[in-house]
Amino acid sequence: MGYREIYASGAEGYQALVAAEDADGNLRPVLADLLATAEAVLEVGAGTGRVTRILRSLGLHVIATEPAPAMLAVANNSMRDDADVSLCQAEASLMPFTDSTCDAAIAGWVFGHQIEWQPQRWRDTISSFIDECDRVTGGGTMIIIETLGTGSEVPNPPEELVAYYSWLEDTLGFTRHWVRTDYRFTSVDEAARITGEFFGTDFADSVRTNSWSRIPECTGVWVRH
């Protein structure tokens, strides 16, 4: 199942995957430090609300967009009673917010898909997304979160994303941090079943071969103030 199909119709399975990630809670203190002076944050591509919940635990007001109705429904269901979260269906290229609405923007595991979906023009597309975030934040802090390697104990980014990460750092001036965000499941079988639905059968076979109920994951956090 491809990412587009997962986002369109596999939201519950996706939630089962991300709920198991960052078993040690390592991402939260990184975001707390980077967003120490923020009060309101724009989240692009909230998915089922994984990053949204971290931002709320930091006491931040969050306005979030998500283009896939199925993903948005899961997020809404878990945060419908939180007055400090506003979720809406919108694309990253055109967000329904006025200029300088927020102090910072964050996109977790979102922009990198453009390398696969738009291989000839991903730089232009991602640049337009970042420009839109800059508009909504009045040029405030921009944070981008992406994988640095699933099944790896040290940063080992997917080959297809290396040029993207170099572009963020060398051309756009982002600074990279990284943390371990391991997945933890109740059993090897559960780990193989859930990750296999998202990463494929070869990865599921690797999980079984390594007897992983805890799967190493490295995550990059890029920031530009």
Side-chain angles (χ1 to χ4, degrees):
M1 184 182 292
Y3 290 143
R4 289 185 188 272
E5 187 178 353
I6 289 169
Y7 297 151
S9 60
E12 296 294 343
Y14 176 82
Q15 174 56 23
L17 175 77
V18 301
E21 191 176 5
D22 197 13
D24 300 316
N26 291 330
L27 187 56
R28 185 182 186 277
V30 174
L31 296 183
D33 181 58
L34 296 177
L35 296 168
T37 61
E39 295 182 2
V41 178
L42 165 68
E43 183 184 1
V44 182
T48 56
R50 162 176 38 176
V51 175
T52 318
R53 284 181 278 273
I54 296 175
L55 298 174
R56 283 297 300 123
S57 75
L58 298 175
L60 297 165
H61 177 77
V62 183
I63 62 171
T65 66
E66 168 54 48
M71 304 284 275
L72 190 61
V74 174
N76 267 318
N77 186 56
S78 65
M79 289 176 279
R80 61 179 178 270
D81 296 326
D82 191 335
D84 281 308
V85 176
S86 300
L87 293 159
C88 72
Q89 186 177 355
E91 298 286 346
S93 57
L94 184 62
M95 291 181 279
F97 311 118
T98 57
D99 296 357
S100 303
T101 299
C102 294
D103 309 303
I106 186 167
W109 299 273
V110 176
F111 295 166
H113 291 308
Q114 299 304 319
I115 283 74
E116 176 187 354
W117 296 344
Q118 300 196 62
Q120 303 304 316
R121 59 186 311 270
W122 60 264
R123 289 177 180 84
D124 290 340
T125 300
I126 295 174
S127 289
S128 71
F129 294 167
I130 294 173
D131 287 346
E132 182 69 348
C133 289
D134 285 344
R135 179 188 66 78
V136 177
T137 65
T141 297
M142 178 78 222
I143 297 172
I144 298 172
I145 306 171
E146 303 283 4
T147 183
L148 280 176
T150 304
S152 179
E153 295 184 351
V154 295
N156 183 27
E159 184 177 350
E160 64 273 15
L161 297 179
V162 170
Y164 163 45
Y165 297 161
S166 295
W167 175 72
L168 287 176
E169 296 163 23
D170 299 337
T171 302
L172 299 189
F174 281 80
T175 300
R176 179 171 69 178
H177 308 260
W178 78 274
V179 292
R180 284 282 294 271
T181 58
D182 296 1
Y183 295 89
R184 183 169 58 204
F185 298 92
T186 59
S187 67
V188 173
D189 285 343
E190 182 186 63
R193 175 178 56 81
I194 292 176
T195 60
E197 291 177 359
F198 197 76
F199 300 121
T201 55
D202 287 347
F203 188 82
D205 290 343
S206 178
V207 170
R208 293 189 175 94
T209 298
N210 288 284
S211 298
W212 278 336
S213 58
R214 182 185 177 109
I215 300 172
E217 172 79 15
C218 295
T219 291
V221 181
W222 285 261
V223 62
R224 187 178 72 182
H225 292 291

